[in-house]
Amino acid sequence: MKSIQTVIFLSVVSSLIVNCQKPVATDKDTQSLLVSGIFGSCFSLDTCFDQYAKTTDEGASFQVFDGSGNRFYARQSILDFNTYKPIASGSKWVTAITAMRVIDCNAGNATNCGTVTAASCNNGAIGGAISLSRTTAQVLGWTGTYANVTLRQLLSFTSGLNAGGGNGSGQASCISTLPAGASSTQKDSCVDVIRDQSTGTPGALYQYNSNHMAVAQRMLEVSCNKTWDTMFTQLIVTPLGWDASQAVWRGNSRGGIDTDGSLSGAYGLSISPAHYAGMLNALLTNGTAKNSSGTNVNTFLSATSVTEILADQYNGAKIGYSQFSAFGYRWQYGLGNWRFCTITDIPAECDKDLISHSIGINGFYPWIDKNRNYMAILAVNNTGRKNGLSLLPASSTSLFFAETVRPLIHIQIGK
């Protein structure tokens, strides 16, 4: 894989140039530590983590789990394993897993489904069982260019719903401004705005933005005749024993006035790293999650759903917008997660050294290495510019940390 260190080196150089041109609030000790870490090295998980934690706004935690879901490494600084914080784009994996839970429960292929029982999600403009191939026409009654957009394309960001042109980044403003307890009419109006502002061709381009998942969530609501919060509670929160008062979706994830989070599946969840790990265990073990007590939740996902979530979902699409492609990373995408590997455009080759991850802009970084049979979660909530490097976002520093410690993990597990 192309060196993350090289990417961050370029970012640092660019940042230092920019910072010569305008003042940036800086913690000089943190900046020095970060730069020395980029040019230097560390030789144990503890020292690497301690070095990294000093650069964060609110502290951090780091956990590594074996193929059975047993935690064999854990370290924290200020931010502990049970603290609920926003996870930004780490939410995308949760949305994809929730969607696949809906599909599995509707087909009778999963357990602990609440009222999402077999054949209960067959609603829509044209009746039929919810699946990755269901379209916006069948469920939402859309016509025109975006009538044949599938749930699969929405969860893999290849739907053509491109945030109003440009490079395809960003999102429709209504996603973050829906009033708390938004009605079906208000949600329909928002997804219609997304449709009507878009200029992309379905299936042609991968464009990383929040619009796709907002429409996917509305499709699931209409299919099941339930709100997103109801499905999320019954399919995720209750069986996994999460704290329902804290595991909430917010449209306005940066604080201020509470807004409805039922279309914020791309970024809006708060969760603790300990609880996130229990959910992620289902992807590592081909279907078995762990609840908050550490007890197995069997058949949480079908093996087919696990495969779909982690598989390459481009299906001929080209990268239109990816925040990583500017640095030379041509990572492709599954359902709600990046596929980080050496040969990105040949799925069978990519699978040989694949790291599946769902990194957040705040630095939250969960990843799975199926080849080496382990998973890890770096939990952090960097919202400021403590390191003073304005072009070095928290996601970059987390990637650098992960690339530094992955070889140390591999030595520890002997793979």
Side-chain angles (χ1 to χ4, degrees):
M1 297 181 189
K2 182 178 177 180
S3 169
I4 288 279
Q5 285 88 337
T6 300
V7 171
I8 295 184
F9 168 77
L10 295 174
S11 296
V12 169
V13 172
S14 299
S15 298
L16 292 175
I17 292 172
V18 170
N19 289 338
C20 289
Q21 298 172 347
K22 61 180 181 180
V24 176
T26 301
D27 180 329
K28 289 184 172 58
D29 291 336
T30 300
Q31 180 173 316
S32 298
L33 180 63
L34 182 60
V35 173
S36 67
I38 291 168
F39 292 106
S41 187
C42 55
F43 301 99
S44 75
L45 290 175
D46 285 355
T47 57
C48 290
F49 175 79
D50 292 346
Q51 231 174 261
Y52 170 81
K54 291 176 183 178
T55 73
T56 63
D57 293 337
E58 301 180 359
S61 71
F62 184 53
Q63 305 172 85
V64 189
F65 301 81
D66 66 21
S68 298
N70 299 313
R71 192 172 71 180
F72 66 85
Y73 179 82
R75 197 165 180 85
Q76 59 188 30
S77 174
I78 304 174
L79 190 65
D80 69 38
F81 309 119
N82 298 308
T83 300
Y84 275 64
K85 289 286 184 180
I87 60 172
S89 286
S91 304
K92 292 177 172 69
W93 230 344
V94 184
T95 297
I97 289 172
T98 304
M100 298 312 294
R101 284 273 289 157
V102 169
I103 291 171
D104 282 344
C105 287
N106 192 61
N109 293 330
T111 60
N112 296 280
C113 295
T115 60
V116 185
T117 53
S120 65
C121 297
N122 293 2
N123 304 298
I126 300 172
I130 187 64
S131 70
L132 289 174
S133 61
R134 285 281 275 174
T135 68
T136 49
Q138 292 170 326
V139 178
L140 302 178
W142 284 9
T143 60
T145 302
Y146 301 103
N148 293 318
V149 166
T150 65
L151 184 60
R152 182 187 301 277
Q153 290 173 327
L154 292 166
L155 294 174
S156 61
F157 301 168
T158 60
S159 70
L161 299 173
N162 62 358
N167 65 5
S169 63
Q171 67 181 48
S173 61
C174 61
I175 295 174
S176 61
T177 59
L178 275 176
S183 66
S184 293
T185 299
Q186 289 170 315
K187 294 176 189 179
D188 286 338
S189 176
C190 183
V191 297
D192 286 351
V193 166
I194 291 171
R195 177 197 63 202
D196 296 341
Q197 288 182 349
S198 294
T199 60
T201 300
L205 295 176
Y206 169 88
Q207 294 177 308
Y208 190 79
N209 67 53
S210 300
N211 287 353
H212 313 272
M213 282 193 162
V215 177
Q217 288 174 282
R218 186 60 187 144
M219 280 183 68
L220 293 167
E221 287 190 326
V222 171
S223 294
C224 297
N225 195 26
K226 293 177 173 62
T227 65
W228 174 255
D229 284 344
T230 296
M231 290 183 288
F232 177 66
T233 297
Q234 294 188 1
L235 298 177
I236 305 292
V237 174
T238 299
L240 298 184
W242 291 3
D243 184 343
S245 67
Q246 296 190 79
V248 296
W249 295 86
R250 293 183 174 88
N252 182 11
S253 62
R254 296 182 179 180
I257 298 174
D258 279 345
T259 58
D260 195 289
S262 56
L263 300 183
S264 67
Y267 64 87
L269 182 63
S270 293
I271 191 61
S272 74
H275 286 175
Y276 195 99
M279 177 202 69
L280 207 59
N281 191 75
L283 299 182
L284 185 63
T285 62
N286 291 322
T288 301
K290 286 185 180 290
N291 65 20
S292 57
S293 300
T295 303
N296 286 346
V297 182
N298 296 319
T299 326
F300 185 75
L301 286 170
S302 67
T304 298
S305 287
V306 172
T307 298
E308 290 281 19
I309 289 169
L310 300 179
D312 189 297
Q313 298 288 348
Y314 267 38
N315 293 318
K318 305 298 182 184
I319 295 176
Y321 170 72
S322 160
Q323 68 271 48
F324 297 110
S325 63
F327 295 115
Y329 283 92
R330 306 295 293 177
W331 296 343
Q332 300 199 181
Y333 211 70
L335 301 179
N337 66 106
W338 294 99
R339 288 169 52 84
F340 176 14
C341 61
T342 302
I343 303 176
T344 59
D345 57 349
I346 304 175
E349 291 298 314
C350 181
D351 286 342
K352 293 178 180 178
D353 67 342
L354 175 65
I355 303 298
S356 304
H357 73 79
S358 187
I359 194 167
I361 195 171
N362 63 349
F364 181 85
Y365 187 23
W367 80 83
I368 292 175
D369 187 331
K370 293 276 278 189
N371 292 305
R372 293 184 174 90
N373 203 26
Y374 80 92
M375 67 181 187
I377 298 178
L378 174 64
V380 64
N381 183 35
N382 283 337
T383 57
R385 297 289 188 189
K386 184 176 180 181
N387 60 44
L389 302 178
S390 62
L391 292 187
L392 188 59
S395 54
S396 293
T397 58
S398 293
L399 282 167
F400 174 70
F401 169 80
E403 286 304 283
T404 303
V405 301
R406 283 206 302 121
L408 300 175
I409 295 171
H410 303 165
I411 290 170
Q412 187 162 334
I413 63 178
K415 296 180 180 179

